[in-house]
Amino acid sequence: MYNAHRRSLFLFAFLAAPVTLYLVYVISPYVQAFYIAMTDWRGVSATPEFVGLDNFVRLFSDGIFWKAVTHNLALLVLLPLLTIVIALFFAFLLNVGNGRGVGGVAGSKFYRVVFFFPHVLAVAVVAVLFQQVFRPDGSGMLNGPLMALGARPVGFLSDPDVAFWSVLGVMLWQAVGFYVVLFSAGLASIPRDMFEAAQIDGAGRVSMFVRVTLPLLWDTIQVAWVYLGILALDVFAIVWVMTDQHGGPDFSTTVMAAEIYRNAFHYFRFGYASALGVVMFFFTIGFTILSLRLSRRERIEY
């Protein structure tokens, strides 16, 4: 009994400081955001008026909010799916698919480093870089050759029908390299015997990928899907910096995080911005729980 009591005191003393810091710097801001979401606070008054659920009622009738939600949901589907498919293809190629037995292509270590380069760059740097790539005149990296061939320039960031896809392309360009390295690490942990046995049994590259690689990498893919989904819901900097009118043109690329920033620091509607933040919080938590439940499967030991 005495030892158990001492152990409890030790655990309490050990955990008291980190738990207190977590409550103060993580849980407390969440609680404050939930409270501010039910006020008309504009960032200056010491005693904001409590308005209950008015901000949420107004939010769900806001057309710009629904545009932002639509873009976030589109990213939520497309970004994880495309990133994982492309990264799995390159990781499998670099580690298994050299066409001469089981092994990666020549120079695979060098290619992993090259693939990882875009992930090292800060998001703001990537946004500014692609502003220049997508320039609508002859100095643009893409429009320059098109105009030299006599074609009309494409409004990658100025055409409402194209701008969203340009943003998605940039996000893919930056994200794929990290997941190539992540999946390569997962593939490296799979015993070579499994691939060799599958090859002896007559499995081709596609069959080996579907029947060996995917099942054994499932836990890694699950984690990648959750992280990419959270990235799709929380995306802000690349949209705010790269696009015209910070989410334009005509709100064709705006996302929930951009609308939170715009309402808080441009219009000084902190109560309304907090309501947006609360909705985004529940979207993110709901997506994470749903993804983990739907992708749960029996763990394969090897």
Side-chain angles (χ1 to χ4, degrees):
M1 179 68 71
Y2 179 71
N3 288 335
H5 181 66
R6 289 187 62 184
R7 188 181 300 111
S8 299
L9 286 175
F10 172 77
L11 290 175
F12 177 79
F14 184 77
L15 294 174
V19 169
T20 301
L21 290 173
Y22 186 82
L23 289 172
V24 171
Y25 292 107
V26 178
I27 301 301
S28 174
Y30 277 118
V31 174
Q32 293 177 55
F34 276 71
Y35 169 71
I36 293 171
M38 292 185 286
T39 70
D40 67 346
W41 191 46
R42 298 185 64 84
V44 290
S45 58
T47 55
E49 180 183 351
F50 185 82
V51 296
L53 298 177
D54 286 0
N55 284 324
F56 295 95
V57 173
R58 177 183 170 191
L59 184 151
F60 285 108
S61 61
D62 186 346
I64 296 175
F65 164 74
W66 286 113
K67 276 191 174 183
V69 169
T70 301
H71 297 147
N72 276 114
L73 291 178
L75 289 173
L76 184 60
V77 174
L78 296 172
L79 183 65
L81 179 62
L82 294 175
T83 301
I84 289 173
V85 168
I86 296 170
L88 275 174
F89 171 77
F90 283 118
F92 185 77
L93 188 67
L94 292 176
N95 291 272
V96 181
N98 66 357
R100 302 187 305 276
V102 178
V105 297
S108 58
K109 293 182 179 179
F110 170 75
Y111 291 131
R112 287 192 200 107
V113 173
V114 172
F115 275 120
F116 196 75
F117 275 162
H119 192 76
V120 175
L121 297 175
V123 177
V125 173
V126 171
V128 172
L129 173 67
F130 275 91
Q131 274 185 327
Q132 303 307 311
V133 172
F134 291 145
R135 282 179 66 92
D137 52 34
S139 62
M141 186 178 294
L142 297 179
N143 276 319
L146 288 176
M147 295 176 70
L149 294 171
R152 296 181 59 183
V154 178
F156 290 103
L157 298 178
S158 58
D159 185 342
D161 296 327
V162 179
F164 173 80
W165 302 105
S166 300
V167 171
L168 175 60
V170 174
M171 293 180 70
L172 282 171
W173 178 83
Q174 188 176 32
V176 162
F178 174 81
Y179 291 95
V180 169
V181 175
L182 179 67
F183 294 147
S184 293
L187 282 166
S189 68
I190 299 174
R192 298 289 96 182
D193 297 349
M194 293 192 174
F195 293 110
E196 292 170 356
Q199 194 173 49
I200 292 171
D201 289 340
R205 295 295 168 184
V206 175
S207 179
M208 193 184 299
F209 178 79
V210 173
R211 296 179 180 275
V212 179
T213 303
L214 282 182
L216 296 179
L217 274 183
W218 188 256
D219 289 344
T220 308
I221 293 171
Q222 182 188 51
V223 171
W225 189 279
V226 171
Y227 275 108
L228 284 164
I230 293 172
L231 173 64
L233 289 172
D234 292 347
V235 59
F236 168 72
I238 204 159
V239 171
W240 193 262
V241 176
M242 189 173 75
T243 60
D244 184 37
Q245 302 165 4
H246 308 303
D250 193 26
F251 299 103
S252 61
T253 59
T254 193
V255 289
M256 286 189 286
E259 291 310 311
I260 292 172
Y261 188 93
R262 195 191 318 276
N263 279 280
F265 299 106
H266 283 196
Y267 308 140
F268 299 101
R269 298 189 298 220
F270 284 87
Y272 187 68
S274 294
L276 278 163
V278 168
V279 171
M280 191 170 79
F281 168 80
F282 282 112
F283 272 148
T284 306
I285 293 296
F287 162 77
T288 304
I289 294 173
L290 186 64
S291 295
L292 291 175
R293 284 188 175 275
L294 292 179
S295 59
R296 182 183 299 167
R297 58 184 294 175
E298 185 178 348
R299 183 180 178 86
I300 299 176
E301 300 289 345
Y302 56 87

